[in-house]
Amino acid sequence: MRRFVIKAVAASVVGLALAGHVLAADPAKKEIVIGTTVGDFGDMVKQSIKPQLEKQGYAVKLVEFTDYVRPNLALQEGSLDVNVFQHKPYLDNFAKEHKLSLKEVFQVPTAPLGIYPGKLKSLKDAKAGVTLAAPNDPSNFARALVMLNDLGWVKLKPGVNPLTASERDIADNVKKVKIVPLEAAQLPRSRSDVDFAVINGNYATSSGIKLTEAVYQEKSYAYVNWGVVRAADAGKPWAKDVIAAYNSPAFKAYTKQKFAGYKLPQGWN
C-alpha cells in the first residue's frame, strides 16, 4: 500500500510538471520578436498569437515591414526571432542568394495573389496592349506570369519551371500585355495608372482592398506562406511554443472567422 501511494504521488508530481511546461515560457528565452509584413500577418500576431504566448510568460514584440528584403536579413542577424511573410520558393531563392541559414517551421493562412481592377473593371474589357502592374521580385513575378498564362493572355514556353518563370519564358504575348514591374508595397497605389494590378493578398488587405474585389485569383496552392526561424533555433522550446500557437485550436477558430477565403495550412486539413 505504501509503495502504491509513493508511486501515485510521484506520478502526480510528474503530471503537474508536464502540465506546467505547457504553460511556462522557455526559461532561456524571455522575449520573442516576430517580424511580419504590414497587414493580416501582423494582425494575426497582435490579436491571437501574442496573447497566447504572453499567457505562457513570454514578452512578445511585433516588428512590421513594408518590403520583402529586410525581414530575412533581420532574422539572420538576430534582431528578429521569427518572421512571417513569405512562401517557400521565395525563401529558398533568397536564402541561397544571400547565404542565409533559415528554416520554415509552420504555415500560416494566406491571402492568394490576385489581379485587381485599375482603369479597367473587368477582364472582358482588356484589349491588346493592356497594362498590368506586377510584383518585381522574381518569385512573385513568376506567379504573375503563371496567372497570365492561365488566363490565356500569354503563352509560356513548354516545360518552363513555374517557380522561376521570367519574361524570357514568354513564347507568345497573346494580349500584347505591357507588364509594369513595381515593388509589392506600391502595387495598391498603382491601380490608377494601369489597367490592372497583380497584388499580393497581404498588401491588398492592408490597403483596404477586399479579396473579393479581385477579378482573378491564382489557382495554385503552392504559395501558402510560412513562419521562419534561424535553422539553429528550430528545435528550441520557445520555437516549439510559437509553432504550437500557430497551430492551436484558438488560432484556427480566429482565422476561420476573420480571414474567410484565405488558403489554409495543409496540416489543418
Side-chain angles (χ1 to χ4, degrees), residues 195-265:
D195 296 322
F196 297 98
V198 177
I199 304 176
N200 293 81
N202 62 307
Y203 283 119
T205 55
S206 65
S207 299
I209 302 171
K210 295 181 180 178
L211 298 182
T212 53
E213 293 178 34
V215 293
Y216 190 82
Q217 289 184 331
E218 66 181 338
K219 297 178 180 179
S220 175
Y221 280 79
Y223 295 98
V224 175
N225 285 7
W226 287 86
V228 178
V229 299
R230 289 178 293 279
D233 291 338
K236 292 182 179 179
W238 65 264
K240 292 180 179 179
D241 288 337
V242 173
I243 294 168
Y246 271 98
N247 286 293
S248 67
F251 184 63
K252 291 178 183 179
Y254 159 77
T255 54
K256 287 177 181 178
Q257 178 182 11
K258 182 155 185 179
F259 299 105
Y262 276 46
K263 292 184 185 298
L264 301 178

Side-chain angles (χ1 to χ4, degrees), residues 35-241:
T36 72
T37 41
V38 174
D40 49 3
F41 296 133
D43 290 342
M44 290 175 192
V45 173
K46 288 180 278 191
Q47 297 169 8
S48 182
I49 301 303
K50 185 172 187 259
Q52 287 189 63
L53 293 173
E54 286 179 339
K55 285 182 180 178
Q56 292 178 251
Y58 292 104
V60 179
K61 179 181 178 182
L62 172 66
V63 180
E64 295 181 290
F65 296 86
T66 57
D67 68 275
Y68 290 161
V69 175
R70 290 182 297 155
N72 279 332
L73 300 179
L75 179 60
Q76 180 69 38
E77 71 184 18
S79 56
L80 298 179
D81 297 306
V82 186
N83 70 35
V84 180
F85 78 99
Q86 65 196 314
H87 51 67
K88 193 171 185 299
Y90 179 83
L91 169 64
D92 290 345
N93 182 71
F94 192 95
K96 181 179 180 180
E97 181 181 350
H98 295 272
K99 297 180 173 57
L100 308 182
S101 182
L102 305 178
K103 183 174 178 59
E104 71 282 0
V105 289
F106 60 85
Q107 287 185 318
V108 291
T110 306
L113 195 70
I115 297 178
Y116 291 83
K119 293 178 181 179
L120 301 180
K121 305 307 176 187
S122 171
L123 294 178
K124 295 179 181 179
D125 299 329
K127 298 178 181 179
V130 62
T131 56
L132 179 102
N136 64 2
D137 63 275
S139 181
N140 284 305
F141 190 83
R143 293 168 71 184
L145 289 180
V146 170
M147 292 174 70
L148 295 180
N149 183 77
D150 291 340
L151 272 174
W153 287 12
V154 305
K155 288 184 180 179
L156 295 177
K157 296 175 183 177
V160 66
N161 184 343
L163 302 180
T164 60
S166 70
E167 287 192 89
R168 295 189 300 273
D169 297 309
I170 297 176
D172 184 8
N173 190 341
V174 180
K175 254 327 187 199
K176 309 300 180 192
V177 185
K178 296 178 181 177
I179 303 175
V180 182
L182 295 172
E183 286 192 15
Q186 297 179 11
L187 290 166
R189 297 191 298 274
S190 75
R191 294 198 296 164
S192 60
D193 300 318
V194 294
D195 296 322
F196 297 98
V198 177
I199 304 176
N200 293 81
N202 62 307
Y203 283 119
T205 55
S206 65
S207 299
I209 302 171
K210 295 181 180 178
L211 298 182
T212 53
E213 293 178 34
V215 293
Y216 190 82
Q217 289 184 331
E218 66 181 338
K219 297 178 180 179
S220 175
Y221 280 79
Y223 295 98
V224 175
N225 285 7
W226 287 86
V228 178
V229 299
R230 289 178 293 279
D233 291 338
K236 292 182 179 179
W238 65 264
K240 292 180 179 179
D241 288 337

